[in-house]
Amino acid sequence: MLDLLGHSDEARIGEIAASYATSRSEADADSERRFRDLLQALPAAVYTTDADGRITFFNRACVDFAGRTPKIGEMWCVTWKLYLPDGTPLPHDECPMAIALRQNRPVRDVEAVAERPDGSRICFMPYPTPLRDKRGRLVGAVNMLVDITARKQAEQRMMLLTSEVDHRSNNLLAVAQAMLRLTKADTAEEFQAAFQGRLSALANVQRLFSASRWTGANLKTIVEEELRPYASRDGERIRIAGDDVHLPPTLAQSIAVALHELATNAAKYGSLSTPSGTLEIRWATNDAEPLVLHWSESGGPRVNAPPTRRGFGVGAIDGIIRTLRGKVTRQWKPEGLVCELSFPEVAA
């Protein structure tokens, strides 16, 4: 057939073939350009290597991820230093990308830690995947690095919170068991009322802990919550004075129980048992005694002598103060009880 074509026809065929080759080359270049633009737009760090592990491409997210600008031709990874999750150094020639190329297989479900030149670290999961030509021969690999730092931090916070909740629940159960064992009453009704009141005091302070994410509670809030049932509308029956001191959980819980016992005693026998009775609570902090709380009753039944019966409330307060290495003093004045609680440790 070519014998039938003239010279001009052969030249025309050559021009068409050259034009086709040029168009295809331009199409391939355009396709590769669009592919690289797509990789640059991805928020995840993506890079490629040749079959020997030399970096051939990296997107802008790799720079942000690694905290540095990698160099084309570097080996294995765009990061500066690598570590296993337990902190053991991970040589680059043993990193997941090196394994994927050496074993000619994708590597999944592994975690690593990358260190930037400034010393900051990132927890991440790599996804190295071999690249092969049409004949199935290994020509390189592509890797995507997914930052999981936020997830790992959330997991650590959850573990700490779980441990704290476990500790608090065990402590709370121990306190409840002690209250149950030591609560005394002449009748079942009196026992129920006394025990329920003490549990309510614990529940109130636990609610405050929950609101503060278990960092503690404010002393003023504890005092106000515990004495709210006894307050008058004009606010004159109970006077509270003191800065709003933030207490760590153990101290806050102990003071809540102590205040409940003092309030219960005052409601039964002291100033809160009569309409004319008043109560003043004030506290202060200083270098000698970081926290000193004064409880002063007046206007209730006249006190002729200190009580001879030592109830659970007195024992609970004394036990709490001793546990916290604090001190308690009581004065049974004719006008009412004056009690002072001091605690050597306040800081959370």
Side-chain angles (χ1 to χ4, degrees):
M1 179 176 178
L2 291 177
D3 293 340
L4 301 176
L5 297 176
H7 178 72
S8 60
D9 293 326
E10 292 179 356
R12 180 58 178 165
I13 291 173
E15 292 175 358
I16 293 174
S19 176
Y20 175 76
T22 301
S23 298
R24 184 164 184 175
S25 178
E26 291 176 351
D28 291 342
D30 185 59
S31 177
E32 181 179 354
R33 187 163 48 249
R34 287 198 301 270
F35 179 70
R36 286 177 174 262
D37 290 343
L38 174 64
L39 294 180
Q40 290 289 5
L42 291 176
V46 178
Y47 69 97
T48 60
T49 71
D50 60 18
D52 295 322
R54 290 184 290 266
I55 296 174
T56 57
F57 167 82
F58 58 88
N59 64 358
R60 285 184 290 270
C62 283
V63 179
D64 297 332
F65 180 92
R68 71 185 190 116
T69 301
K71 295 180 180 179
I72 299 298
E74 284 185 335
M75 296 295 291
W76 310 120
C77 192
V78 296
T79 57
W80 187 51
K81 291 182 179 180
L82 288 173
Y83 298 87
L84 295 173
D86 64 2
T88 303
L90 177 62
H92 279 83
D93 59 358
E94 296 179 12
C95 72
M97 176 61 109
I99 293 175
L101 287 169
R102 193 157 49 240
Q103 299 181 6
N104 194 11
R105 65 175 180 85
V107 175
R108 299 291 185 267
D109 300 323
V110 298
E111 297 180 3
V113 178
E115 182 176 314
R116 297 182 173 115
D118 64 2
S120 61
R121 293 188 175 188
I122 302 176
C123 298
F124 70 98
M125 292 188 71
Y127 292 86
T129 304
L131 299 176
R132 303 180 182 90
D133 60 15
K134 294 180 179 180
R135 297 181 179 180
R137 295 177 300 185
L138 180 69
V139 295
V142 59
N143 198 2
M144 180 173 67
L145 310 178
V146 179
D147 186 350
I148 60 171
T149 305
R151 192 193 80 187
K152 300 298 288 187
Q153 291 174 342
E155 290 176 354
Q156 185 177 20
R157 287 194 297 270
M158 182 60 67
M159 291 179 62
L160 290 174
L161 179 59
T162 301
S163 177
E164 180 68 15
V165 169
D166 181 63
H167 170 72
R168 296 296 170 197
S169 61
N170 289 334
N171 177 267
L172 188 60
L173 284 174
V175 173
Q177 287 174 339
M179 290 193 308
L180 179 63
R181 184 176 64 255
L182 297 174
T183 299
K184 308 297 182 182
D186 296 329
T187 66
E189 290 75 13
E190 290 179 357
F191 177 88
Q192 181 180 359
F195 189 65
Q196 184 174 351
R198 288 155 187 165
L199 282 181
S200 295
L202 286 177
N204 286 337
V205 76
Q206 297 302 314
R207 178 176 54 80
L208 296 178
F209 292 164
S210 179
S212 68
R213 294 189 177 183
W214 300 91
T215 61
N218 293 330
L219 177 56
K220 188 174 183 180
T221 304
I222 294 174
V223 174
E224 290 175 342
E225 287 290 323
E226 201 57 50
L227 296 175
R228 191 182 305 278
Y230 311 105
S232 59
R233 291 186 178 182
D234 59 10
E236 294 298 321
R237 190 181 193 193
I238 298 176
R239 293 186 292 273
I240 300 173
D243 296 332
D244 202 2
V245 182
H246 187 76
L247 305 177
T250 301
L251 181 56
Q253 180 173 281
S254 299
I255 288 180
V257 174
L259 288 174
H260 172 77
E261 297 305 326
L262 287 169
T264 300
N265 183 76
K268 287 183 176 181
Y269 314 110
S271 63
L272 299 181
S273 66
T274 61
S276 61
T278 61
L279 171 64
E280 179 183 355
I281 302 176
R282 54 187 172 86
W283 59 88
T285 58
N286 54 59
D287 294 335
E289 295 287 353
L291 177 61
V292 180
L293 189 147
H294 299 269
W295 174 284
S296 180
E297 300 179 30
S298 60
R302 183 177 179 82
V303 179
N304 297 316
T308 58
R309 181 175 179 269
R310 182 181 175 89
F312 168 78
V314 174
I317 294 173
D318 291 350
I320 288 169
I321 304 306
R322 284 196 301 269
T323 300
L324 298 173
R325 292 177 295 156
K327 298 178 182 179
V328 56
T329 59
R330 296 181 182 86
Q331 298 181 47
W332 299 95
K333 296 183 177 181
E335 59 271 21
L337 170 66
V338 175
C339 183
E340 182 177 283
L341 310 177
S342 60
F343 304 90
E345 297 292 340
V346 176

